[in-house]
Amino acid sequence: NPEGDLTAETESISLDLKKRVQPYLELVEWPADVASGQQAGEASAERGGTSVRASGVPAPPPSPAQLKPKCEFNFYSFFDMPFEVQMVAHSFLFPSNFGGQEGMIAVHLVSCYGHAIYKECVYKHEWFCEPVAELLESWAGYREWRMEEFPESPVDLTFVSYPVVYEDIIMGIEWGMALSTVATILAFIVLAIMLRNIRQLGLVACNILTGIGTTLLIMYPVSYYVMDVNVCAPAMLVAVALAMSIDYSLFLLTRFNEERLDGRSITQSLEIALATQGHTIVVSGATLALCFTSMLVLPTSTITSMAAGAATAVLQSVLVSLSLTPALLLTMPRFYTADRMLGLTLDDTPLGTYRRGGSSNRAGSVALLDGGATIDQSVLRSPSQPKQESLWARLGRGSQRRAPAMAVLLLAAAVPFAAALTRFSYVEDLTPLMQTTHPTTKAFLKIRDVYLPDLPPLQLLIVAPSQSAMASREWSLATCHMLQDLATKVTDRMHEEGHDYTMTTADFNGLMIFRGGCLADGLKFGVIDVMPAVHMYGMYDMVADLLSNRNQTATQVYVHCQVDLFSEVGEAWMRAVRASLPRPEVIRQPLGGHQDADSANYVPYGRWDDVEIGALHLYGMPLEQMDGAQYTLRRMPYVGLAIAAIVCIILGGSFGTALIPVRAVICIAWMLVVTFGASVMVYQLGYLEGLGIQALSPSSGQALFWISPSVAVAVLVGLGLDYDIFLMDSVMEHWQSGKDGKSAVVTSLDQAGTIISAAGVIMFLAFGALLASTTPVLNQIGFMLCIGVLIDCFITTKLTIPALMACVPDAANFWPKKRPPPPTAGDIEERGSVSARGSVPCLRRSLTSSARDLLGNSGTAPPSLRNTGGRS
């Protein structure tokens, strides 16, 4: 430091940190059942205290042989090393490219209570990781204490570890889930406006809680016995269950309320709602669930676990919406249909006035035959009252009048997004999963920038034939020579592929090689061999404990890269290292000449210098991310074809037409191009970076995280089909009643346009909460879902579908389905004046029987309904 020597201050920091480690090195009595760890979790709270037998009699004190260290740590501080070792470690602990102003103290957390520490154990709340979490909190407290006591100190402390990094990721996911919960409040406000009855929000809340609860009950044993569930899966599960439950409740309850306003009883209104919107919910849910299920063919547990959770959430939302909502409505019909002052009264409650039989609490209200529930006659709608055409109907009609021009305009609008999509690239780094504002993220990036640009590096695990072989000088020399030759082969392969990259032997660090030289031949600095000092001070044994297993039969070698592993050159380097591993001639390539990741990363055995060195395993998080991304994106076209086939089969079978599924696939493809193109513009090209909004700025690598589009595609397809099916159900209903195709679309938009728009706003609020998250991958997924939902609700259903259907002859739109024959005079006489709204003879038989029940044997409507104008 140019202002003075800080050696004494940093040495005191090293001593302070080491003191905080000492309590975890004390000798304690391990639990007897520590191997199983099951009952040990219960005993962990009392560790270190006096043990008590089951009879209540204190147990005898443990013998010294029974006492073992609570935890094992390896503390690597420059100030604890002898001079000879400092010569070796100085270049790594104090990188010269930072002028020696950055220093590192490395602490290896080996085990606690005999259990090896692994990176996920802290956030999984493993009982044996409690000391690790306590120590990390202790160090964080020490850092805060130093900042308060020495505010002018030029020394800044930064702590980072993999347990903390993974905890940071979990916290980001949980924060995203909390934001989705808060967004539910805004969604409920929109829902209350649409339903015009606050009490019915209770039905929606029951659907949401039941759907999420049952999904979690199903996924818990799945995660325990069937598959590993990624940390992002719960957030995805909750978001999908929340969105679908609200969507399906909105569809069902709005139709129920519409029928009530048309003067029908609760039973009849519910039957009509289930017969019409129930069909929409079943078809939409089945399509969306199958779309998620198709993603199970992808080779990564991250996506398959999220897909399994989302598919389960969709199916549970369908079942709950079609069972729980009708059951609650029929259990308390008067309570849920009391809509005076939006239901903010005490009507039909123990504290209010009941409405029984044919009596009424208000003048002008009538009883509707079931349960004594009444409705104010003044709000019953009459067809004689002129109704102004809605904005959505006018948009649809305008789109139909200029259908060819509208189709060309929509196609042209997709061109810039398609052009941006051609520049799509992705990153596989760990940082998009970490919170941008969290101190751990900043510390992780700092450590990586200063010390290890390839953090975490690749690791080559070498399993020796035996313990004696691994301890021999011949084995050490043979493995060292193998690694030196591997560096040469990797360099040659990189040059052959056109990359100006040279791998040196210094890129390997292990028990047999350091700084490019074989440790079996000594560790020389100039003419001085410091290897005897390294052995004498026990530094070699410490490193051996760090890099080898307990039985000393396997060791790992760190394989470093001089560039970012997730860059183009870095990925080419990883592929070159994997391809250059020494392979015996007996290992043959599979048919087709292609190896999967597992077989390519593993060599069953190897020999070098006539010495059997053992099995080789190349592994590491960067390699796993690269393989997962490449294999997933390689199979995405097949997933897309599967989704298109699912759409065509389900929609074709549901509606009985050929063009409706084809038109739906075209609309979805257009939406996906625009959505993913916009995502590239924002998160890769930085078009909105000038706004200064973190959630709309490019993350690390100036590219999308590879998981984001893979996860979003199924949700986007499902939601797009959700609104498409809802609209087309209404179109088919009006077309079968005698309207031509254009009029059927306009009438459906007039009736359902506002509902679809409200559903889109609700979905936007639900998924928009992810944009408020501090995790980049959630920001990207939230942006894609929000853009896709807005396109589906305000462009596809309002402009694209009317224009495309107007470009095709009316008969072709519904081919080969036949329009049912018009009702005869006898049918009309039998149905009287109150057939289901828009559900003429083609509706379900249950509706006709319900109409008979309403009319009675006389075949005429009650006076209260005849006075409304006799809708038919």
Side-chain angles (χ1 to χ4, degrees):
N1 187 285
E3 298 181 0
D5 186 11
L6 299 177
T7 303
E9 184 173 355
T10 51
E11 186 172 3
S12 68
I13 292 174
S14 174
L15 292 175
D16 290 342
L17 295 177
K18 197 169 185 179
K19 288 179 182 178
R20 292 177 178 261
V21 177
Q22 291 300 324
Y24 302 98
L25 302 178
E26 297 176 352
L27 298 177
V28 296
E29 182 184 8
W30 285 6
D33 51 0
V34 70
S36 64
Q38 189 170 3
Q39 291 85 9
E42 302 174 358
S44 62
E46 301 297 330
R47 288 190 189 98
T50 303
S51 59
V52 179
R53 293 179 179 177
S55 60
V57 179
S63 63
Q66 294 175 314
L67 297 177
K68 298 179 181 179
K70 180 187 295 184
C71 296
E72 292 185 55
F73 289 87
N74 289 326
F75 198 88
Y76 303 102
S77 173
F78 178 82
F79 305 101
D80 294 339
M81 301 175 181
F83 174 75
E84 295 85 352
V85 180
Q86 286 180 342
M87 294 174 57
V88 179
H90 186 275
S91 60
F92 177 73
L93 296 179
F94 297 93
S96 58
N97 55 329
F98 283 86
Q101 294 184 357
E102 298 285 350
M104 178 172 65
I105 296 175
V107 183
H108 177 213
L109 293 78
V110 183
S111 64
C112 286
Y113 298 103
H115 288 265
I117 302 299
Y118 60 98
K119 56 182 178 291
E120 300 95 344
C121 71
V122 172
Y123 79 78
K124 286 186 175 181
H125 303 291
E126 297 281 8
W127 65 269
F128 56 85
C129 272
E130 292 175 3
V132 178
E134 293 171 1
L135 178 61
L136 294 175
E137 292 178 1
S138 174
W139 282 346
Y142 174 74
R143 179 180 184 273
E144 295 177 359
W145 174 81
R146 274 195 56 86
M147 293 175 62
E148 294 176 358
E149 291 292 323
F150 308 101
E152 303 298 328
S153 173
V155 178
D156 180 49
L157 298 180
T158 300
F159 294 97
V160 66
S161 66
Y162 272 114
V164 177
V165 168
Y166 276 76
E167 189 176 23
D168 172 20
I169 294 175
I170 295 297
M171 290 175 60
I173 300 298
E174 292 178 348
W175 174 241
M177 295 174 65
L179 290 173
S180 297
T181 304
V182 173
T184 307
I185 300 175
L186 300 176
F188 267 54
I189 294 175
V190 178
L191 199 59
I193 295 173
M194 290 300 301
L195 298 177
R196 299 187 295 274
N197 191 333
I198 301 297
R199 299 185 182 189
Q200 291 182 0
L201 295 182
L203 297 173
V204 183
C206 289
N207 286 348
I208 293 174
L209 294 177
T210 306
I212 294 177
T214 54
T215 303
L216 291 175
L217 287 176
I218 293 173
M219 288 302 298
Y220 181 79
V222 170
S223 66
Y224 198 82
Y225 297 106
V226 180
M227 65 169 65
D228 293 330
V229 175
N230 184 264
V231 295
C232 297
M236 183 75 171
L237 182 154
V238 170
V240 170
L242 184 67
M244 294 299 100
S245 296
I246 293 178
D247 246 9
Y248 296 156
S249 297
L250 177 63
F251 293 164
L252 192 64
L253 292 176
T254 50
R255 184 58 184 263
F256 171 79
N257 292 335
E258 289 284 322
E259 298 302 328
R260 289 281 293 158
L261 288 177
D262 282 343
R264 292 179 181 81
S265 67
I266 291 177
T267 304
Q268 287 179 302
S269 300
L270 188 56
E271 285 183 348
I272 295 173
L274 289 174
T276 54
Q277 303 315 312
H279 174 262
T280 301
I281 292 172
V282 170
V283 174
S284 170
T287 305
L288 184 53
L290 287 175
C291 289
F292 281 121
T293 304
S294 66
M295 300 180 67
L296 294 177
V297 302
L298 298 176
T300 56
S301 61
T302 299
I303 295 180
T304 54
S305 61
M306 295 175 71
T312 306
V314 170
L315 293 177
Q316 291 303 308
S317 299
V318 172
L319 293 175
V320 171
S321 298
L322 297 182
S323 58
L324 184 60
T325 299
L328 291 176
L329 275 174
L330 294 177
T331 301
M332 296 181 287
R334 293 175 300 186
F335 175 80
Y336 286 116
T337 55
D339 54 0
R340 186 168 65 91
M341 296 178 60
L342 301 179
L344 297 174
T345 65
L346 296 178
D347 294 347
D348 298 305
T349 65
L351 299 179
T353 304
Y354 284 84
R355 295 180 285 179
R356 299 179 182 278
S359 63
S360 171
N361 298 322
R362 304 191 305 271
S365 62
V366 296
L368 291 181
L369 301 179
D370 50 356
T374 63
I375 189 167
D376 191 346
Q377 189 175 1
S378 63
V379 302
L380 293 176
R381 298 185 302 190
S382 171
S384 62
Q385 298 174 353
K387 180 180 180 297
Q388 185 179 4
E389 195 173 56
S390 68
L391 170 64
W392 316 120
R394 293 197 297 271
L395 282 176
R397 194 183 302 278
S399 179
Q400 288 177 340
R401 290 173 180 171
R402 302 169 182 83
M406 180 61 68
V408 173
L409 179 62
L410 291 171
L411 184 62
V415 171
F417 297 99
L421 193 56
T422 59
R423 303 173 63 179
F424 166 75
S425 63
Y426 59 90
V427 295
E428 304 131 358
D429 197 358
L430 187 67
T431 51
L433 293 170
M434 303 173 65
Q435 300 180 80
T436 54
T437 58
H438 199 277
T440 300
T441 305
K442 298 178 181 179
F444 180 82
L445 295 177
K446 182 72 172 178
I447 293 291
R448 189 173 67 176
D449 292 341
V450 175
Y451 295 98
L452 300 171
D454 58 347
L455 184 69
L458 294 189
Q459 299 172 59
L460 180 63
L461 178 66
I462 305 176
V463 182
S466 63
Q467 183 180 16
S468 59
M470 182 171 157
S472 65
R473 183 177 185 276
E474 293 77 10
W475 183 89
S476 179
L477 279 175
T479 52
C480 177
H481 294 161
M482 181 269 294
L483 295 174
Q484 291 173 336
D485 183 76
L486 179 62
T488 302
K489 291 181 178 178
V490 170
T491 300
D492 294 341
R493 188 176 292 270
M494 291 291 288
H495 291 167
E496 291 175 1
E497 296 180 2
H499 298 288
D500 185 15
Y501 183 93
T502 301
M503 185 177 185
T504 66
T505 55
D507 292 332
F508 296 102
N509 285 315
L511 289 180
M512 70 296 297
I513 187 171
F514 185 74
R515 299 184 62 180
C518 296
L519 293 181
D521 293 332
L523 180 60
K524 296 183 179 180
F525 284 82
V527 296
I528 301 176
D529 185 5
V530 299
M531 201 63 191
V534 171
H535 280 289
M536 181 176 63
Y537 291 106
M539 298 301 297
Y540 186 85
D541 294 334
M542 290 178 60
V543 175
D545 291 339
L546 174 65
L547 298 180
S548 304
N549 63 344
R550 293 182 181 274
N551 298 329
Q552 299 294 311
T553 57
T555 184
Q556 55 186 357
V557 178
Y558 288 98
V559 187
H560 295 283
C561 182
Q562 301 166 19
V563 298
D564 182 6
L565 281 175
F566 298 104
S567 64
E568 181 181 356
V569 176
E571 291 189 358
W573 175 84
M574 286 192 287
R575 291 191 295 268
V577 172
R578 178 162 58 191
S580 302
L581 288 176
R583 300 182 181 277
E585 296 181 357
V586 296
I587 301 179
R588 299 179 180 178
Q589 296 283 344
L591 293 178
H594 175 70
Q595 285 186 314
D596 60 20
D598 292 335
S599 62
N601 297 337
Y602 169 62
V603 177
Y605 69 91
R607 295 184 64 88
W608 204 268
D609 295 344
D610 292 330
V611 175
E612 186 175 347
I613 59 178
L616 307 177
H617 303 259
L618 184 67
Y619 67 99
M621 191 274 291
L623 196 64
E624 296 171 1
Q625 288 285 86
M626 182 187 72
D627 290 336
Q630 291 180 351
Y631 289 4
T632 297
L633 297 178
R634 186 185 302 165
R635 295 189 183 184
M636 282 306 295
Y638 301 103
V639 174
L641 292 176
I643 291 176
I646 291 170
V647 171
C648 291
I649 292 173
I650 293 185
L651 265 64
S654 174
F655 293 111
T657 66
L659 283 187
I660 286 181
V662 175
R663 193 265 313 143
V665 170
I666 294 174
C667 290
I668 290 173
W670 185 88
M671 178 269 295
L672 292 177
V673 169
V674 174
T675 299
F676 290 138
S679 301
V680 171
M681 291 179 177
V682 172
Y683 293 105
Q684 185 172 327
L685 304 180
Y687 283 6
L688 301 182
E689 192 172 6
L691 298 177
I693 302 176
Q694 183 66 38
L696 299 177
S697 301
S699 58
S700 64
Q702 294 287 114
L704 291 166
F705 190 51
W706 67 274
I707 288 180
S708 301
S710 305
V711 170
V713 63
V715 183
L716 290 172
V717 171
L719 289 176
L721 286 175
D722 196 16
Y723 307 126
D724 194 320
I725 295 170
F726 180 67
L727 179 63
M728 290 311 300
D729 258 340
S730 182
V731 170
M732 291 294 294
E733 188 177 331
H734 289 292
W735 178 74
Q736 290 178 329
S737 68
K739 295 180 181 293
D740 62 272
K742 292 183 179 180
S743 300
V745 172
V746 173
T747 305
S748 298
L749 285 175
D750 191 32
Q751 295 175 349
T754 301
I755 299 174
I756 294 175
S757 301
V761 172
I762 291 173
M763 292 301 102
F764 179 83
L765 294 173
F767 295 126
L770 299 179
L771 287 172
S773 171
T774 56
T775 304
V777 65
L778 295 182
N779 296 153
Q780 295 174 9
I781 294 175
F783 178 82
M784 294 176 186
L785 297 181
C786 287
I787 295 296
V789 164
L790 293 179
I791 290 174
D792 287 328
C793 292
F794 296 101
I795 297 179
T796 301
T797 55
K798 308 303 190 301
L799 299 175
T800 309
I801 291 178
L804 292 182
M805 292 189 68
C807 291
V808 179
D810 193 43
N813 275 316
F814 304 97
W815 181 86
K817 193 177 186 65
K818 302 294 184 181
R819 194 197 304 268
T824 63
D827 293 332
I828 297 176
E829 178 69 21
E830 181 182 1
R831 287 178 175 81
S833 59
V834 270
S835 64
R837 179 178 65 86
S839 63
V840 292
C842 63
L843 255 186
R844 310 297 189 269
R845 185 175 303 169
S846 61
L847 302 185
T848 303
S849 61
S850 298
R852 290 197 188 99
D853 295 338
L854 177 63
L855 296 173
N857 295 329
S858 63
T860 58
S864 60
L865 295 185
R866 289 202 299 270
N867 292 338
T868 65
R871 287 178 60 91
S872 73

